[in-house]
Amino acid sequence: MTAKTIMVQGTASHVGKSVLVAALCRIFYRDGYRVAPYKSQNMALNSFVTRDGGEMGRAQVVQAEASGREPSVDMNPILLKPTGHASSQVIVLGRPVGNKCAQEYHREYAQEAWIKACEALERLRAENDIVVIEGAGSPAEVNLQETEIVNMRVARQAQAPVLLAADIDKGGALASVVGTLELISPRDRDRVAGVIINKFRGDLKLFQPAVDFLEAKISKPVLGVVPYFQGFRVQEEDTVSEETMRRSSGEADRDVEIAVIHLPHISNFTDFDPLEDEPDVHLRYVGRGTPLGRPDLVIVPGSKNTIEDLAYLKRSGLAERICALSREGVPVVGICGGFQILGRELNDPLHTESSIPHLEGLGLLDISTTFAREKITTQVEARACGPGHLLERARDLTVTGYEIHMGVTRTGSEVVPAFEVIKRLGEEVSLWDGAARPDGLAWGTYIHGVFDTASFRRSIINSLRQRKGLPPLDETASLSAWEQRQRDYDRLGEVVRGSLDMEKIYSLLGLPPR
């Protein structure tokens, strides 16, 4: 089997390429085809750990789920995780190979990465009917065209027709399409089979003259105008979306308010999507210049550069404010890097993450963390065992998630474990995870996705409700995060199917629509 291929590229970053790929994957999956996503190189802080312990970009995990497939590192063979200015940790086929500056990567490593990426693509093509490929940024970045391994070079390698997506919500969509086609080579221009106008708001009939003009100007068809999605969520690739930030900045109009600290190097913020979806929760992202207020719970999230983000908290005054709220009895929770930040100190003697070798933490937990070169990436299953009002209510509830961290944390005498890991990479174990104060008002864990489990998530929220004198809500009514995502993929597929010329897209693939 050699899969047919089709590729979605964009006129710029954040035009909706990853969501359109997820939508096409869902459509092909629902039509009975065996389909897989592919992005040769992804730069993102949101990542995931596969069943066998490989790390890959979260966007390709979303696309895999939309395809009805188990995520595989072949779907994202090269992952770049920014660590600082013009420097990234390079992860190849799920395993870190070191930190590289941009110049070193493009000049010295890109060719080796390209070979790995091509091998991964061929493995996917051998196992599927269709591979839907995602580009990155724009193919018109002329300074990168000779060394790029993620846009037109991939399209040529895969012999894939290209759908060029433009974001009309930000304005300038027609100009960006015309400019992109003007700046790429004639052979690559010929490979562009059509245009998708994405994130449209308004009356489509009023927009039709613009569509007619664009088609005449570029001599290519507009294959669809996709509306701005509302009423459902598809997880973001790399940044907290503008829509989420707008929602979070509104007035708290629900029973429970949860504040997530928006760190400069925030990672895996999709951990908190399930909380935002709860009907009684107002979730806010709080950064520099945003008042923290007095929420019912403060969460310090994961970070790709934990020491630098801790320094930011101290400079911005947020560290002092978090500690003051903790003294007033407001619960504070840390996830992964946030867990490390809650401790007494962070040490990085080998400069694994930062040029700062040592920094005192917030001191809310009796733990200390030292960064090491070895990276832990593993899926886990754990049960809650911590003390205090929040965790006692959830005691013995099982959660599933994954760990991605480079720090080794040692606990002191003033904390106890928050969770017991009972399964790691599919094998039964008995290991302690995280730490909690005896009063349970400060605790942390290395487990990403801990709130995905509906029973645990609802238990924590109901504990917060009870602290405010509010009755608990039904703990069996919430969907798991996976169930909610599956519903959203179906809705996404329906919207996009109704917006695109799917008959033409199947014709480009050389396959019959089903």
Side-chain angles (χ1 to χ4, degrees):
M1 179 189 301
T2 301
K4 305 291 186 178
T5 58
I6 194 164
M7 187 170 191
V8 178
Q9 296 187 25
T11 58
S13 297
H14 305 297
V15 300
K17 295 185 292 291
S18 62
V19 175
L20 289 172
V21 167
L24 288 170
C25 286
R26 193 61 166 190
I27 292 169
F28 297 142
Y29 167 63
R30 286 300 188 194
D31 286 354
Y33 286 103
R34 185 169 175 82
V35 57
Y38 175 80
K39 186 170 184 176
S40 58
Q41 174 186 287
N42 197 349
M43 178 174 281
L45 289 175
N46 266 5
S47 60
F48 176 81
V49 175
T50 63
R51 188 185 296 272
D52 59 357
E55 188 176 2
M56 61 183 288
R58 187 80 201 187
Q60 281 62 63
V61 174
V62 167
Q63 294 159 359
E65 290 180 345
S67 304
R69 301 290 302 280
E70 179 88 8
S72 159
V73 295
D74 279 345
M75 299 171 182
N76 173 213
I78 312 297
L79 175 62
L80 307 178
K81 300 188 76 172
T83 57
H85 180 66
S87 176
S88 293
Q89 182 184 58
V90 180
I91 297 167
V92 178
L93 294 174
R95 305 298 175 188
V97 298
N99 292 353
K100 298 183 185 297
C101 69
Q103 188 176 57
E104 179 185 10
Y105 177 77
H106 286 289
R107 290 188 176 180
E108 300 176 13
Y109 193 76
Q111 184 57 35
E112 183 176 343
W114 171 244
I115 294 171
K116 300 288 187 183
C118 290
E119 292 171 349
L121 175 60
E122 289 311 306
R123 285 191 290 269
L124 289 178
R125 295 193 71 182
E127 299 168 356
N128 294 279
D129 301 314
I130 303 172
V131 175
V132 186
I133 305 171
E134 180 186 345
S138 163
E141 293 166 348
V142 294
N143 57 308
L144 298 177
Q145 284 181 358
E146 290 186 5
T147 59
E148 67 93 2
I149 61 172
V150 70
N151 283 313
M152 284 300 179
R153 191 176 182 186
V154 176
R156 294 192 295 269
Q157 176 73 16
Q159 292 295 297
V162 172
L163 309 181
L164 183 64
D167 176 3
I168 195 171
D169 190 51
K170 292 185 174 68
L174 273 63
S176 67
V177 169
V178 173
T180 298
L181 294 174
E182 182 67 25
L183 289 172
I184 60 179
S185 69
R187 66 169 178 168
D188 289 336
R189 193 179 306 130
D190 290 341
R191 189 167 290 283
V192 176
V195 172
I196 298 174
I197 303 298
N198 198 24
K199 305 183 187 180
F200 179 77
R201 308 178 194 244
D203 188 335
L204 193 55
K205 291 180 181 178
L206 296 177
F207 185 60
Q208 188 59 44
V211 172
D212 297 339
F213 168 84
L214 183 61
E215 289 182 327
K217 179 72 175 177
I218 64 176
S219 300
K220 295 181 184 294
V222 173
L223 296 177
V225 180
V226 180
Y228 197 101
F229 308 132
Q230 292 181 317
F232 62 95
R233 177 204 307 281
V234 179
Q235 290 182 334
E236 294 293 326
E237 179 177 35
D238 192 39
T239 58
V240 181
S241 70
E242 294 178 6
E243 185 70 22
T244 298
M245 294 301 290
R246 280 195 295 268
R247 284 197 304 268
S248 76
S249 63
E251 291 289 329
D253 56 354
R254 300 187 181 183
D255 293 337
V256 174
E257 183 181 344
I258 298 176
V260 177
I261 306 301
H262 194 297
L263 301 171
H265 302 92
I266 186 173
S267 65
N268 293 78
F269 52 82
T270 49
D271 285 346
F272 314 114
D273 287 352
L275 292 172
E276 189 180 0
D277 289 335
E278 289 291 340
D280 56 336
V281 171
H282 176 70
L283 187 134
R284 295 193 299 118
Y285 283 90
V286 177
R288 188 189 301 273
T290 309
L292 181 53
R294 199 181 193 284
D296 301 304
L297 172 67
V298 176
I299 301 178
V300 185
S303 166
K304 187 60 191 75
N305 198 323
T306 310
I307 291 185
E308 296 284 355
D309 281 350
L310 172 57
Y312 155 79
L313 290 179
K314 294 188 173 189
R315 290 194 308 271
S316 66
L318 278 169
E320 182 180 349
R321 182 64 183 137
I322 293 168
C323 291
L325 287 175
S326 178
R327 290 191 295 269
E328 295 170 13
V330 174
V332 180
V333 170
I335 308 294
C336 197
F339 166 49
Q340 297 168 340
I341 284 172
L342 298 189
R344 296 192 184 280
E345 61 178 2
L346 295 176
N347 300 295
D348 193 0
L350 302 178
H351 301 293
T352 303
E353 282 197 356
S354 170
S355 60
I356 303 173
H358 170 83
L359 196 61
E360 292 185 4
L362 301 191
L364 300 183
L365 291 174
D366 184 17
I367 62 171
S368 64
T369 299
T370 300
F371 293 101
R373 296 197 189 280
E374 182 181 358
K375 190 172 193 176
I376 295 174
T377 57
T378 180
Q379 289 190 2
V380 297
E381 185 176 318
R383 66 174 187 87
C385 62
H389 187 66
L390 293 189
L391 287 175
E392 277 183 354
R393 187 185 185 97
R395 183 175 291 275
D396 293 330
L397 291 178
T398 301
V399 300
T400 58
Y402 55 97
E403 297 180 28
I404 307 173
H405 62 93
M406 301 184 77
V408 176
T409 297
R410 291 177 172 80
T411 57
S413 60
E414 298 176 23
V415 293
V416 294
F419 294 88
E420 179 192 10
V421 176
I422 58 177
K423 190 174 289 187
R424 172 172 279 179
L425 290 178
E427 296 185 1
E428 293 187 1
V429 295
S430 179
L431 303 168
W432 299 126
D433 168 78
R437 280 197 331 227
D439 63 7
L441 293 180
W443 58 268
T445 176
Y446 273 122
I447 303 173
H448 289 290
V450 70
F451 297 115
D452 283 10
T453 304
S455 57
F456 179 81
R457 178 175 73 247
R458 191 68 249 173
S459 175
I460 295 296
I461 297 168
N462 280 342
S463 294
L464 296 173
R465 292 180 64 89
Q466 196 170 29
R467 282 170 59 85
K468 300 180 72 173
L470 298 171
L473 300 187
D474 184 2
E475 295 190 1
T476 64
S478 296
L479 295 174
S480 72
W482 186 88
E483 292 170 324
Q484 184 64 55
R485 291 198 299 270
Q486 292 301 315
R487 287 190 178 188
D488 288 343
Y489 298 147
D490 281 338
R491 296 178 69 184
L492 172 67
E494 290 167 5
V495 170
V496 173
R497 186 194 293 272
S499 305
L500 298 185
D501 185 346
M502 289 305 302
E503 186 173 340
K504 174 65 175 176
I505 289 174
Y506 271 116
S507 175
L508 291 171
L509 287 165
L511 293 172
R514 295 178 180 174

